Amino acid sequence: MKSKVDSKFTPMIGLEIHCQLNTLKTKLFCSCNAQFRGEEPNTYTCPVCLGLPGSLPTVNENAIDCAIKLAHAFDSKINKRMYFFRKNYFYPDLPQNFQITQYNKAGGVAFADGGTISIKFDNKIKNIELDRFHLENDPGKLVHEGGDIESSNETLVDYNRSGIALIEIVTKPVIESPREARIFLKKLRSIISHCEIVDLTKDGAMRVDANISIKGHARAEVKNINSFKEVERALKWEIKRQINKLKKGQETEQETRNWNGKITTLLRSKESENEYRYFPEADLVPIEIKQDWIDDIKEKMPELPDERIARLQEEYGLKEYDATVITEDKEVADFYEECCKLNENYEAIKNWLMNDIMGILNEENLSISSTELKPKLVDEFISAIDSGKVTTKIAKKYISKIIKGIGIKKWMKKQGVKKITDKEKLNELADKIISDNPDVVEDLKKKPKTFQYFVGQMMKATRGQADIQLTRKILKEKLKKYMK
Amino acid sequence: MPSLNQLSGIEIRDKIRTQEISSEDIVLACFKRINDVESKINAFTEVFEKEAVKRAKEIDKKIKKGEKVGNLAGIPLAVKDLISVKGHQTSAGSKMLNGYISPYDSTVIERLVRKQDAIIIGTTNMDEFAMGSSTESSFYGATYNPWNLKFVPGGSSGGSGAAIAADETILSLGSDTGGSIRCPAAYCGVAGIKPTYGRVSRYGIIAYANSLEQVGPISKTVKDSALVLQNMAGKDPKDATTVDESVENYLDIIENGIEDFTIGIPNEFYGEGLDPDVEKQVRNAIKILEKKGSNIIKVSLPHIEYALPTYYLIAMSEASSNLARFDGIRYGYKTDNTDGNFNEVFSRTRGEGFGPEVRRRIILGTYALSAGYFEMFYIKALKVRTLIRQDFLKAYEKCDVLIGPTMPATAFEIGTKLDDPIQMYLEDILTVPINLAGIPSMSLNCGFASNGMPVGMQIMGKFFKESDIFRTAYVLEQEMKYFKQRPDLGGY
Ligand SMILES: [Zn+2]
């Protein structure tokens, strides 16, 4: 069922996306190792990210490199004098009880303003305008022992994540539907992945908050949308809630709501909103982002999704839709192109990669690089199909093994897929196929390549078990009189 | 023959180097003095006797073997209780941090102690979180002025000032956010310098108002301050606000004299409310400078009239944020009553752990930063701060240093201002403009008032020209010789 929104209620959606710069070696304001995932709690810490008395932050300039890269990708305007503000609020995951961030009011500026991300849907292009993006640090992580924030009676804090660099991207409230939001986020992911500043396979590497309102009415902020997949659902639910309220003649209220995976619930009303008391962070001196620095990074910019989508269509004859899907994740697109270097059946590679292999990886929540999947295996596999050694049916059985690094030949041997080497049986079969296809035999006289058709038919009839060498030999003997 | 602990840092340094005395001798002499007088003064929050003696012996061994030692080898040093020393309590004079053991060294300790081999003999008392001018608000009780035990030693680095005046240590460190080095230096009749903002690393210094404060020495002589400062100043990669400006060898130029100096006398430092005794001694010092060949001119700093409210707005605002981290979760004091949600527990912990003056400043600072007041208070204060800095820069177009009194009067009696915060804040009227501008300034003893209490004068220099201050102060010190006078606490 397609949910058609009542036309007199126009939703307006703005997104705030936190991207963890988890490809950096160190945290944003200290030299602690940033690769903290899976480590013993509170071991990747130091006086700075624990907020110990007397400790002071210093800026990791590699995080600024990442931000400059993004500014190029979005075509945002970099504020060349960058400085930080403190956002003051008490929360146990925040060791200083303030966050060091950038602010675009009270004399502050974001890292960069403006910029656009263009998305394509229903055969039209829409430019989603960005408001700004900025750098800030991630808080620690609360672990609610034996329950959630409300039901557990003990909460532990792990500060390993404290101080990890984040970039917060804020769009203007120009997204008009949950579907548009999903398409936008996919495109954003694709850009971020091509910039190689976030390892998107890591949990919580990208987190979304959404501001939703019905045009002309107060907005609600929805927090804790933990996965991209949930964004569309959360938005749909919240829009419906607001429209229902308006239909009843009530007004929506400015408030903060929590997405719990099923519905949104009230977190804070406007009156109890945090008062953040932003003011300049005097421990960090302003940093000049010189034009040389910006130009340097521009020179090293990677190919971005729009260019790549166009090139994939051009080079590999892909349809725009397929090129777009492949490009959503740089790793997948890179892998596709590596395979295409080895094997020219671009269409087959695309089909097997996108339909089957990615399906398995997504199901198991794996990235290509975390498996044993290699372009050589894909080439071997596609060649086996094309040469008729493997039927589609067998291929389907095999395909889940490819991510474990098992080649098709090796697998078939292990499976004990028996080769039919019985000359008499193959002779009989060849005769039948030749007599069943007189028109193809006619074709063969003009196009010797048609020979391959008979090989394919033989393999099909034997479910891929005919010995390929022997089959070819028998067919050649029987058909050579038609071939010049 | 004076007792060893009465000697200056330079004298001790030379005697240790020539092996005339050992480091152990001087460390023991200081601890003897501490044992004799500390019950009257209460300058220390903790003394590290065993550890200091052990370290002194190690250094003595090195010297005997002819091994290379640091520039401060074997000299006793007392440090204000907000300077992090690895493995020791750093409490900022607060119940909130009672029992907090710092797991790391501040940069100044790394430089003076780990690199230059000074010996820490203990941590000194202070106003809680450096908020005060009397060292009465410490969780560890008040410190008493060695010149008269009924009087305050000044603050907030009162423990360091008193320990120097009472000869309990040879060198000491304080910190100065709005006068906290210069005020106790003045009230205790010793020398103390607040360096240029950015001259000395603040890494490891518990922050009160981070855009204003600096660590600096409090010492018996001008040369001692120079010795300490030149060994701890300079760029620190751990403090982004330190400036990559070369540090002069102050001791090499300190005796160069001031014949070519133009010295400015800012009108505004000699206004109403200045104690005539104080004015008399400062004017007398100016006469000496004139006699010594410097050119004396009048200058004006019109905006320092607004310095006090500007300072308190900025300092309290920053304090409200800097002190937010003390919530009892990771370290320090935590309330026994942990009923309720984290906000309730945080509030209870902070209500119980902070003293009244700290609470007052956090509340006022929180208010000043709140929506609707931020522009009116904080932003405006920043604008006035710029005007004050410009006043000083303008004065320095014509002058090398400026001279004024450090405090409007001499030390006051304990307890007389404790219940009147406004009176207490007025104490800082002549010291806070310097922190707002960020320039360096030294307080030097320039005589005594009719009540027998020392009078301090301020020598204010250009940005990063601590050398000019040292040259001026050295001339005065050698002429006036007040550093030779010591309070009589008995015990020898
Ligand atoms: Zn760290």
Side-chain angles (χ1 to χ4, degrees):
Chain A
M1 190 186 80
K2 210 168 179 181
S3 76
K4 196 87 180 179
V5 173
D6 205 322
S7 63
K8 62 177 182 174
F9 298 115
T10 311
M12 289 172 40
I13 302 163
L15 299 174
E16 291 172 11
I17 305 103
H18 286 91
C19 310
Q20 218 175 43
L21 302 182
N22 54 9
T23 57
L24 293 178
K25 285 196 180 74
T26 57
K27 295 184 179 183
L28 182 54
F29 297 123
C30 62
S31 49
C32 281
N33 190 332
Q35 303 306 317
F36 65 94
R37 283 184 167 77
E39 300 297 334
E40 181 87 356
N42 298 308
T43 55
Y44 278 42
T45 57
C46 73
V48 178
C49 56
L50 283 176
L52 291 189
S55 64
L56 295 173
T58 50
V59 178
N60 176 356
E61 296 206 344
N62 294 326
I64 299 176
D65 289 346
C66 294
I68 295 174
K69 233 176 180 180
L70 267 196
H72 284 312
F74 300 153
D75 201 14
S76 309
K77 192 183 142 286
I78 294 171
N79 292 304
K80 295 198 178 165
R81 196 173 142 85
M82 77 165 287
Y83 43 99
F84 288 92
F85 265 52
R86 287 187 188 175
K87 179 181 183 179
N88 296 284
Y89 63 99
F90 283 89
Y91 209 73
D93 62 5
L94 204 57
Q96 288 131 315
N97 286 315
F98 60 76
Q99 183 184 31
I100 303 175
T101 179
Q102 294 182 288
Y103 192 48
N104 65 335
K105 295 185 194 108
V109 288
F111 182 84
D113 292 310
T116 53
I117 294 177
S118 72
I119 57 171
K120 206 166 186 181
F121 62 104
D122 300 341
N123 288 320
K124 59 177 183 182
I125 291 175
K126 180 170 175 178
N127 287 320
I128 305 289
E129 285 175 77
L130 304 180
D131 189 72
R132 62 184 188 275
F133 72 85
H134 64 251
L135 280 163
E136 62 186 24
N137 59 334
D138 215 349
K141 199 172 179 174
L142 296 183
V143 182
H144 306 291
E145 286 286 285
D148 61 14
I149 193 160
E150 268 137 34
S151 64
S152 75
N153 35 16
E154 196 179 39
T155 297
L156 304 173
V157 201
D158 176 8
Y159 291 106
N160 283 353
R161 195 181 71 178
S162 166
I164 295 287
L166 294 178
I167 283 180
E168 181 179 347
I169 301 161
V170 182
T171 76
K172 293 195 167 162
V174 293
I175 298 167
E176 288 165 307
S177 72
R179 177 170 162 246
E180 206 177 304
R182 174 173 49 90
I183 294 164
F184 167 79
L185 286 171
K186 272 195 176 164
K187 184 63 179 283
L188 176 62
R189 263 182 85 100
S190 171
I191 293 170
I192 301 246
S193 106
H194 278 79
C195 289
E196 293 186 297
I197 59 173
V198 182
D199 177 355
L200 291 161
T201 63
K202 297 286 192 302
D203 245 11
M206 260 179 131
R207 310 193 288 266
V208 182
D209 296 334
N211 285 300
I212 304 150
S213 67
I214 304 302
K215 205 170 180 177
H217 301 277
R219 65 165 177 84
E221 184 178 0
V222 177
K223 291 205 170 274
N224 296 322
I225 309 175
N226 284 326
S227 79
F228 270 37
K229 288 173 196 154
E230 301 225 350
V231 171
E232 201 173 359
R233 283 176 54 223
L235 290 174
K236 271 185 187 164
W237 200 93
E238 177 59 20
I239 289 167
K240 209 166 151 193
R241 184 190 72 84
Q242 293 189 15
I243 290 177
N244 283 343
K245 209 163 180 196
L246 294 171
K247 275 182 174 168
K248 281 187 215 156
Q250 297 168 335
E251 253 314 313
T252 56
E253 271 154 63
Q254 191 179 325
E255 61 195 1
T256 304
R257 302 182 68 84
N258 179 50
W259 171 250
N260 65 10
K262 290 194 185 83
I263 60 168
T264 70
T265 55
L266 182 68
L267 206 61
R268 288 186 294 270
S269 63
K270 193 192 172 192
E271 295 73 45
S272 54
E273 280 294 322
N274 274 323
E275 151 93 79
Y276 291 123
R277 305 188 308 281
Y278 283 98
F279 80 114
E281 167 56 284
D283 286 337
L284 292 168
V285 290
I287 295 174
E288 299 296 331
I289 315 275
K290 297 211 174 86
Q291 194 57 43
D292 286 359
W293 194 354
I294 296 172
D295 293 346
D296 241 35
I297 299 218
K298 181 148 204 170
E299 263 172 46
K300 289 181 242 154
M301 280 301 280
E303 184 183 34
L304 292 171
D306 285 343
E307 301 162 49
R308 189 167 205 176
I309 291 166
R311 187 172 58 77
L312 291 184
Q313 293 176 66
E314 175 88 21
E315 272 181 37
Y316 306 107
L318 293 178
K319 291 198 193 82
E320 187 182 3
Y321 173 81
D322 291 328
T324 306
V325 174
I326 285 178
T327 309
E328 266 168 26
D329 184 342
K330 179 174 188 289
E331 191 186 50
V332 175
D334 287 351
F335 186 81
Y336 172 73
E337 292 204 58
E338 285 303 313
C339 294
C340 291
K341 276 184 198 158
L342 301 176
N343 192 305
E344 287 186 0
N345 196 344
Y346 308 143
E347 184 68 15
I349 297 170
K350 185 259 302 175
N351 286 334
W352 282 102
L353 182 63
M354 299 317 290
N355 300 336
D356 300 86
I357 299 174
M358 288 316 294
I360 296 162
L361 291 178
N362 286 341
E363 219 164 84
E364 295 182 31
N365 219 355
L366 294 170
S367 64
I368 291 176
S369 58
S370 68
T371 69
E372 294 300 313
L373 183 58
K374 296 282 164 342
K376 203 172 70 75
L377 300 176
V378 176
D379 168 43
E380 191 190 310
F381 168 67
I382 301 281
S383 301
I385 297 172
D386 285 350
S387 64
K389 282 181 204 162
V390 170
T391 60
T392 310
K393 202 167 171 190
I394 288 176
K396 290 264 183 200
K397 260 195 201 163
Y398 156 76
I399 197 69
S400 67
K401 303 293 178 290
I402 198 166
I403 66 165
K404 298 197 167 80
I406 301 165
I408 182 85
K409 285 181 194 157
K410 201 174 158 196
W411 178 78
M412 282 173 61
K413 232 179 234 165
K414 241 188 167 171
Q415 286 294 300
V417 177
K418 254 196 267 146
K419 280 184 188 168
I420 300 172
T421 49
D422 185 335
K423 233 180 182 173
E424 209 168 307
K425 206 172 171 188
L426 290 178
N427 259 322
E428 248 172 58
L429 189 62
D431 286 339
K432 186 174 182 295
I433 286 170
I434 290 168
S435 63
D436 282 356
N437 291 288
D439 43 339
V440 187
V441 173
E442 228 17 66
D443 268 7
L444 190 64
K445 291 176 185 167
K446 288 173 225 140
K447 285 188 267 170
K449 266 194 173 173
T450 312
F451 176 75
Q452 194 58 40
Y453 174 81
F454 293 97
V455 179
Q457 289 300 308
M458 289 283 285
M459 297 310 286
K460 200 177 169 187
T462 58
R463 289 205 235 116
Q465 292 177 14
D467 182 289
I468 188 80
Q469 306 298 343
L470 191 56
T471 304
R472 281 176 174 278
K473 203 176 152 201
I474 290 167
L475 281 171
K476 240 176 206 161
E477 233 154 64
K478 290 186 193 292
L479 293 170
K480 71 178 167 207
K481 53 187 165 188
Y482 306 112
M483 293 158 64
K484 285 183 182 152
Chain B
M1 221 347 231
S3 174
L4 272 187
N5 58 299
Q6 291 176 294
L7 300 180
S8 74
I10 296 278
E11 288 170 306
I12 293 292
R13 180 194 66 177
D14 295 344
K15 284 184 192 297
I16 292 176
R17 271 189 190 169
T18 57
Q19 297 186 47
E20 189 186 327
I21 64 164
S22 69
S23 171
E24 190 183 356
D25 293 339
I26 179 59
V27 167
L28 290 174
C30 286
F31 280 111
K32 178 172 185 306
R33 181 65 172 167
I34 289 170
N35 284 332
D36 288 345
V37 302
E38 183 60 5
S39 59
K40 297 177 200 165
I41 309 290
N42 194 33
F44 287 86
T45 50
E46 199 188 340
V47 289
F48 314 156
E49 187 162 0
K50 244 173 127 178
E51 191 181 317
V53 172
K54 184 172 166 252
R55 184 71 190 131
K57 283 180 175 165
E58 285 168 13
I59 288 176
D60 287 337
K61 219 181 249 171
K62 273 190 168 182
I63 292 171
K64 254 189 205 141
K65 282 194 205 154
E67 286 174 26
K68 198 173 151 36
V69 288
N71 296 336
L72 301 173
I75 312 175
L77 171 74
V79 302
K80 191 176 182 178
D81 191 26
L82 50 59
I83 299 171
S84 301
V85 180
K86 189 175 177 175
H88 286 283
Q89 172 173 300
T90 307
S91 78
S94 181
K95 179 181 177 184
M96 187 57 98
L97 285 173
N98 186 35
Y100 164 70
I101 307 292
S102 177
Y104 75 105
D105 275 328
S106 49
T107 297
V108 293
I109 294 301
E110 215 169 273
R111 291 185 180 180
L112 296 177
V113 179
R114 315 296 173 217
K115 190 162 164 231
Q116 302 299 352
D117 294 328
I119 293 180
I120 307 189
I121 60 166
T123 48
T124 57
N125 204 12
M126 56 185 284
D127 279 299
E128 187 181 3
F129 282 104
M131 299 175 183
S133 313
S134 66
T135 316
E136 291 170 286
S137 67
S138 169
F139 177 62
Y140 305 96
T143 295
Y144 299 84
N145 193 317
W147 291 93
N148 185 334
L149 299 174
K150 287 198 183 94
F151 286 72
V152 301
S156 66
S157 314
S160 293
I164 289 288
D167 291 316
E168 292 176 280
T169 183
I170 302 302
L171 302 171
S172 82
L173 289 180
S175 72
D176 190 315
T177 311
S180 286
I181 285 175
R182 291 160 290 154
C183 166
Y187 283 1
C188 294
V190 294
I193 183 167
K194 181 205 89 78
T196 311
Y197 188 80
R199 174 90 287 183
V200 178
S201 171
R202 290 180 296 110
Y203 188 77
I205 312 306
I206 298 180
Y208 153 29
N210 51 319
S211 79
L212 296 162
E213 57 214 10
Q214 279 285 293
V215 180
I218 298 181
S219 61
K220 300 173 188 189
T221 67
V222 175
K223 277 190 174 178
D224 282 3
S225 276
L227 174 71
V228 172
L229 184 60
Q230 74 185 32
N231 279 294
M232 69 174 178
K235 178 79 187 159
D236 175 15
K238 289 179 187 156
D239 177 357
T241 63
T242 53
V243 175
D244 203 359
E245 184 93 23
S246 72
V247 181
E248 293 164 88
N249 187 326
Y250 303 126
L251 289 171
D252 281 355
I253 48 91
I254 200 162
E255 294 181 22
N256 284 3
I258 50 160
E259 272 149 47
D260 51 344
F261 273 20
T262 298
I263 291 173
I265 311 301
N267 272 333
E268 293 78 5
F269 275 75
Y270 301 84
E272 221 179 300
L274 182 62
D275 184 328
D277 273 4
V278 172
E279 179 159 4
K280 193 178 133 205
Q281 299 301 340
V282 176
R283 297 256 183 223
N284 185 41
I286 295 168
K287 275 191 204 119
I288 294 174
L289 293 172
E290 195 166 17
K291 214 173 66 193
K292 285 289 174 183
S294 55
N295 179 29
I296 310 290
I297 62 167
K298 279 187 177 169
V299 295
S300 176
L301 305 165
H303 294 97
I304 70 166
E305 182 188 338
Y306 308 107
L308 202 63
T310 303
Y311 166 80
Y312 274 100
L313 275 171
I314 293 173
M316 289 176 183
S317 298
E318 291 180 3
S320 72
S321 174
N322 288 329
L323 272 63
R325 70 189 64 196
F326 304 111
D327 57 21
I329 285 198
R330 292 158 297 274
Y331 48 78
Y333 177 79
K334 186 177 185 175
T335 181
D336 290 332
N337 176 2
T338 55
D339 292 344
N341 65 28
F342 74 82
N343 260 325
E344 289 161 338
V345 178
F346 279 10
S347 302
R348 214 174 291 126
T349 293
R350 292 165 63 78
E352 294 167 13
F354 290 134
E357 183 56 32
V358 175
R359 291 204 300 273
R360 173 162 34 241
R361 294 194 193 194
I362 289 173
I363 291 167
L364 289 172
T366 303
Y367 181 80
L369 287 180
S370 298
Y373 301 102
F374 179 74
E375 301 275 333
M376 192 185 353
F377 292 138
Y378 186 80
I379 296 289
K380 200 168 201 177
L382 288 188
K383 285 179 184 157
V384 179
R385 182 176 188 176
T386 305
L387 294 174
I388 290 170
R389 185 182 291 124
Q390 284 166 354
D391 279 358
F392 277 101
L393 286 174
K394 205 167 158 231
Y396 286 128
E397 284 171 11
K398 288 178 285 180
C399 314
D400 298 288
V401 294
L402 305 174
I403 302 273
T406 307
M407 304 299 292
T410 53
F412 51 90
E413 277 189 54
I414 285 177
T416 50
K417 294 188 180 181
L418 208 50
D419 297 325
D420 191 346
I422 300 292
Q423 280 305 311
M424 195 69 100
Y425 298 168
L426 280 169
E427 281 284 299
D428 304 337
I429 195 153
L430 301 175
T431 49
V432 296
I434 282 77
N435 300 79
L436 289 169
I439 56 169
S441 175
M442 179 173 232
S443 181
L444 182 71
N445 185 9
C446 64
F448 292 85
S450 47
N451 62 359
M453 298 305 285
V455 172
M457 65 181 287
Q458 250 189 122
I459 307 161
M460 298 158 259
K462 296 177 180 172
F463 284 98
F464 298 102
K465 291 301 278 180
E466 284 82 0
S467 51
D468 291 347
I469 294 177
F470 287 133
R471 283 167 64 181
T472 312
Y474 186 71
V475 166
L476 282 169
E477 180 191 62
Q478 293 307 306
E479 280 299 306
M480 305 188 294
K481 302 213 182 316
Y482 290 121
F483 69 95
K484 295 203 165 164
Q485 295 193 30
R486 281 284 172 272
D488 183 13
L489 289 159
Y492 294 117

